Amino acid sequence: MISIKNVSKWYGDFQVLTDCTTEVSKGEVVVVCGPSGSGKSTLIKCVNGLEPFQSGDIIVDGISVGSPKTDLPKLRSRVGMVFQHFELFPHLSITDNLALAQIKVLGRKEDEAKKKGLALLDRVGLSAHAAKFPGQLSGGQQQRVAIARALAMDPIAMLFDEPTSALDPEMINEVLDVMVQLAHEGMTMMCVTHEMGFARKVANRVIFMDKGAIVEDANKDEFFGSPRSERAQAFLSKILQH
Amino acid sequence: MHYNWDWGVFFHSTGIGSEIYLDWFVKGLGWTIALSLAGWVIALLLGTVLGVMRTLPGKVLPRIAAVYVEIFRNIPLLVQLFVWYFIVPDLLPEGLQTWFKQDLNPATSAFISVVLCLGLFTAARVCEQVRTGIQALPKGQTNAAYALGLRIPQIYKEVLLPQAFRIIIPPLTSEFLNIFKNSSVASLIGLMELLAQTKQTAEFTANLFEAFTLATIIYFVLNMGLMLFMRWVEKRVRVPGLIALGGK
């Protein structure tokens, strides 16, 4: 479904991604972790072309992200993305946030789009808030709306870029619950996250990055049981200490 | 100072038909409003386009808009008006030139010059405000819009501009008031707007103080009204639950 091949990226002289290669198959849940500045967010943003890369290629559902001929907006409309800071559109009601891209990008009728949005809002447990504006919701609620907004486009895969990092601790679980449910339904997911509990519960594979390179790419049990690289061992021992 | 104020002067006949001096002020106010509103339409449309251009990816369009801003912002308004009124018509092709200079009513050709001048001058200022408004938004908003598959024109129309305009209503209000005040330059090319009518009344009646007092009051009330109107607009478009957008 998503195949990342030898991707490298530079900001000027500074190399942020070094020869990254990995694969996410259909229905697979892959967690990307690593210390801050290791390039995880940059890598996931390359997958839907939000960040350009200078060498290598990424193929999403048979389409090359790096090719200048690719209709990126069209490709993006098929891949859902959830951001650290939610990025709901603050001037639009929750209903309109959910309907906007369905109408403008997929050409759905307004009532159809709203109906679909409401159904997804119900699924994330927020149907009572349809008429509110993002600023009137808590962070956890906003993030659940953001997930619903991405799902409304019927994506073939979902990308999560640190979806719980900006949340108060008590709101993290409500977002993770939605993500776990999605994983169980068979959604293809690539998640940049530090939530190792989530990774343990639903991930098929864990990718560990450091200094722009993929250091470890292993199935979950192997990663948590006996990480091969020292860097990953050190990272795990630090974050799993408590 | 001994001065015999005579407020009744505005109701004296001007000697032209049944016209009184107050009618001149009303007519002048009409021209002032027409000039300013027409100029504002140009300023807002062109300023928005230029402001968007300044924030687009790539180099050419942002640079064109930047050059525009520097030209129109750095030349005095009055100089620009003289260019539009005295010089530009001479550069027009022959047919247009005759039409502008001879066929058109002199008031109309002066009106066109002033509206263009005010509109293009103010557009440079509106451009900078629109640009700031867009740049004040978190980069994540653009990314989120891209990630949903929206295309650049849709991103501006649906996501960036509606938020940017809410942020810039207060400085935009200043520009809106400025264009009404700046429209008084029209008096220097003989267009009988409020200031020109005031000067004319002062000359005809010798009641200089009354004439300019009335003009002052009219400008003040007009601008206060516009300001209150813009405040009302600001309140109306305020987004629930959001303090950063739409003012206090």
Side-chain angles (χ1 to χ4, degrees):
Chain A
M1 175 77 62
I2 300 170
S3 147
I4 300 174
K5 297 175 183 165
N6 308 101
V7 168
S8 292
K9 176 180 171 68
W10 289 263
Y11 286 124
D13 287 337
F14 182 68
Q15 187 158 13
V16 277
L17 292 177
T18 308
D19 203 24
C20 295
T21 300
T22 191
E23 189 95 29
V24 182
S25 343
K26 193 169 188 309
E28 205 177 15
V29 177
V30 173
V31 162
V32 184
C33 61
S36 53
S38 59
K40 358 179 247 306
S41 285
T42 309
L43 181 68
I44 204 172
K45 281 184 183 136
C46 286
V47 173
N48 65 352
L50 286 183
E51 288 280 356
F53 45 89
Q54 284 82 27
S55 78
D57 200 5
I58 298 177
I59 311 290
V60 177
D61 197 31
I63 297 160
S64 155
V65 177
S67 160
K69 281 183 222 140
T70 299
D71 183 356
L72 270 182
K74 194 169 173 198
L75 179 64
R76 288 179 184 132
S77 72
R78 303 177 57 217
V79 179
M81 185 152 194
V82 175
F83 297 86
Q84 184 176 1
H85 296 287
F86 335 130
E87 306 300 350
L88 294 178
F89 305 132
H91 61 296
L92 298 179
S93 69
I94 300 304
T95 308
D96 290 339
N97 263 282
L98 291 162
L100 179 70
Q102 291 188 65
I103 296 168
K104 301 288 168 187
V105 178
L106 302 180
R108 286 185 186 147
K109 296 246 162 42
E110 195 180 326
D111 49 344
E112 185 193 346
K114 287 194 169 159
K115 212 172 125 196
K116 171 124 192 160
L118 280 177
L120 284 161
L121 203 56
D122 191 39
R123 202 172 130 185
V124 298
L126 292 170
S127 39
H129 303 280
K132 289 190 181 165
F133 283 78
Q136 296 169 307
L137 301 187
S138 73
Q141 291 172 328
Q142 288 191 53
Q143 194 61 299
R144 280 146 68 197
V145 173
I147 294 172
R149 178 175 71 175
L151 292 175
M153 304 295 284
D154 294 322
I156 53 169
M158 289 280 287
L159 307 174
F160 292 85
D161 185 9
E162 303 208 27
T164 56
S165 302
L167 294 175
D168 288 343
E170 47 191 324
M171 291 172 186
I172 290 176
N173 281 331
E174 64 185 62
V175 171
L176 289 179
D177 286 346
V178 172
M179 290 170 66
V180 168
Q181 191 194 343
L182 260 185
H184 287 325
E185 283 164 16
M187 175 61 79
T188 308
M189 293 162 67
M190 190 169 172
C191 317
V192 173
T193 181
H194 297 295
E195 297 298 332
M196 289 302 123
F198 170 79
R200 279 219 162 112
K201 203 188 261 177
V202 298
N204 299 105
R205 272 178 31 243
V206 179
I207 291 172
F208 177 77
M209 291 184 72
D210 188 33
K211 297 188 182 118
I214 293 178
V215 178
E216 188 120 359
D217 184 347
N219 72 45
K220 172 180 59 179
D221 298 330
E222 201 178 315
F223 181 78
F224 287 112
S226 53
R228 270 165 299 189
S229 67
E230 258 175 55
R231 190 65 189 87
Q233 282 166 14
F235 179 78
L236 276 178
S237 73
K238 268 183 206 149
I239 63 168
L240 296 178
Q241 218 164 35
H242 298 288
Chain B
M1 190 183 80
H2 293 285
Y3 183 80
N4 290 322
W5 293 88
D6 176 15
W7 296 106
V9 66
F10 299 120
F11 300 98
H12 294 175
S13 165
T14 60
I16 307 163
S18 58
E19 209 173 41
I20 55 174
Y21 286 110
L22 191 62
D23 292 331
W24 286 6
F25 283 84
V26 173
K27 271 194 215 161
L29 178 62
W31 276 109
T32 292
I33 292 174
L35 282 170
S36 310
L37 289 183
W40 185 244
V41 170
I42 295 178
L44 204 54
L45 291 177
L46 182 61
T48 304
V49 171
L50 289 165
V52 166
M53 277 166 69
R54 288 211 68 170
T55 60
L56 283 173
K59 289 211 169 124
V60 181
L61 292 176
R63 212 160 276 176
I64 292 174
V67 168
Y68 178 96
V69 170
E70 292 318 326
I71 291 175
F72 282 86
R73 199 166 56 168
N74 290 328
I75 298 170
L77 179 63
L78 196 51
V79 175
Q80 292 190 31
L81 177 62
F82 289 163
V83 169
W84 285 112
Y85 188 65
F86 295 115
I87 298 174
V88 170
D90 284 342
L91 305 174
L92 293 173
E94 194 117 351
L96 265 178
Q97 211 178 115
T98 346
W99 171 77
F100 189 82
K101 289 181 175 170
Q102 288 162 23
D103 300 353
L104 277 185
N105 178 324
T108 311
S109 57
F111 180 82
I112 293 172
S113 300
V114 179
V115 166
L116 270 178
C117 169
L118 288 174
L120 300 185
F121 173 80
T122 312
R125 307 175 59 93
V126 171
C127 162
E128 285 306 276
Q129 286 163 4
V130 170
R131 174 179 71 88
T132 332
I134 293 171
Q135 287 173 343
L137 301 172
K139 178 84 175 72
Q141 287 285 303
T142 312
N143 272 345
Y146 271 129
L148 285 165
L150 292 164
R151 290 168 196 276
I152 289 178
Q154 295 173 320
I155 294 178
Y156 277 93
K157 180 169 167 270
E158 309 291 342
V159 176
L160 300 180
L161 288 176
Q163 295 187 60
F165 272 113
R166 284 179 170 89
I167 298 176
I168 63 170
I169 288 176
L172 220 47
T173 302
S174 299
E175 289 314 322
F176 190 40
L177 302 192
N178 275 341
I179 208 167
F180 278 86
K181 291 178 270 183
N182 287 339
S183 69
S184 58
V185 295
S187 64
L188 290 160
I189 59 167
L191 190 70
M192 296 308 284
E193 48 64 77
L194 186 54
L195 181 60
Q197 299 283 12
T198 307
K199 285 196 282 187
Q200 185 167 263
T201 305
E203 279 159 22
F204 273 52
T205 62
N207 290 85
L208 186 83
F209 287 114
E210 288 86 345
F212 276 93
T213 305
L214 181 61
T216 305
I217 292 169
I218 293 175
Y219 275 119
F220 184 80
V221 170
L222 177 65
N223 279 312
M224 274 307 274
L226 292 171
M227 202 192 68
L228 293 174
F229 168 71
M230 288 300 284
R231 273 211 194 139
W232 173 80
V233 169
E234 195 180 340
K235 261 197 196 136
R236 270 214 58 165
V237 301
R238 187 173 296 175
V239 176
L242 209 68
I243 296 159
L245 293 184
K248 302 171 252 115

